[in-house]
Amino acid sequence: ISLKVKKMLYKVLAVDDDKKILKIVKASLQHEDISVITAYDGETCLEKATSAKPDLIILDFDLPDIDGFKLCQVLRSDKPTAHIPIIFLSGKMISNNDMVAGFTAGATDYILKPFEPRILLSRVKAVLRWLEYKGELGGSIKKYGIEIDLNDRMVRIKGKQIDLTKKEFDLLFTLIRKNDQLVTHKYLLETVWGYEPDIDTHTLDSHISSLRRKLGPVYAKKIIAVKGFGYRLLE
């Protein structure tokens, strides 16, 4: 089975009080076009899981303010975060009973520290493939009269191929995937640009303008700017 994930930026929230671990996680995933945001404790994890809307959470089993079981249960009980898959990181050998309890609490997978970056990457890709299979991250999408082929990264409107840059493609995919929701500037910059330091909202606005022009006047009107907040794609 191929471990290849389609070349698209997904967002992972990595939570650990060990900065060295977070550095390894970021380096491993960003190399594969997966955006990584971080948190050092449970409180920040909850805030970022709600505000940043990651596709996956990598969660340390032992945090300074709350243990992983409890945090996982909180994430699962809150509607905005209940659907986000969670991979536990544990710095100690855990019993079968602990693993069962973790899965019961809502964990998707476990990885023991120390871990090889390639093992982490393969587990993350497996979860992303599972989400794609469920249709949560794409595959082939037909919405609003727009057809998006994620395998070939092509966009068609009424059978006509639209030539988009990588950033334009990722912007359109993100707006469509959010199903008429408001997508904030921060979310788009984190997900499509991966926190590039020289990117600001002016650059984002320029890419949106270019995307509108290429989609044509009918679809350009569907991309609505919410001043000071972000964009949404109307059905």
Side-chain angles (χ1 to χ4, degrees), residues 149-160:
D149 185 334
L150 293 174
N151 291 307
D152 296 324
R153 294 183 63 82
M154 290 198 315
V155 174
R156 297 182 183 88
I157 296 178
K158 296 180 179 179
K160 180 182 178 181

Side-chain angles (χ1 to χ4, degrees), residues 180-192:
D180 199 32
Q181 298 176 27
L182 171 62
V183 187
T184 66
H185 295 134
K186 184 174 183 289
Y187 184 91
L188 289 169
L189 291 173
E190 288 174 349
T191 306
V192 176

Side-chain angles (χ1 to χ4, degrees), residues 17 26 43 48 51 81 95 106 112 129 149 151 166 195:
D17 59 344
K26 290 189 73 170
E43 182 180 359
K48 290 193 175 183
S51 64
T81 59
S95 67
L112 293 178
R129 282 199 307 273
D149 185 334
N151 291 307
K166 181 183 185 303
Y195 273 130

Side-chain angles (χ1 to χ4, degrees), residues 11-16 21-22 25 29 34 45 54-63 67-69 71-72 75-76 81-91 94 99 102-103 105-113 115-131:
K11 187 192 300 186
V12 171
L13 170 58
V15 188
D16 202 305
I21 293 294
L22 292 180
V25 172
L29 301 188
I34 299 171
C45 169
D55 298 303
L56 169 67
I57 297 174
I58 299 175
L59 179 60
D60 184 21
F61 196 77
D62 296 305
L63 292 172
D67 70 63
F69 283 147
L71 184 53
C72 186
L75 289 165
R76 285 287 170 264
T81 59
H83 67 286
I84 305 173
I86 296 170
I87 296 178
F88 268 135
L89 289 180
S90 178
I94 56 177
M99 292 187 70
F103 288 128
T108 303
D109 202 352
Y110 272 95
I111 300 177
L112 293 178
K113 303 175 186 177
F115 56 85
E116 289 190 39
R118 63 192 181 114
I119 298 298
L120 171 71
L121 182 59
S122 67
R123 298 286 184 86
V124 168
K125 286 182 175 182
V127 174
L128 294 179
R129 282 199 307 273
W130 173 67
L131 291 176

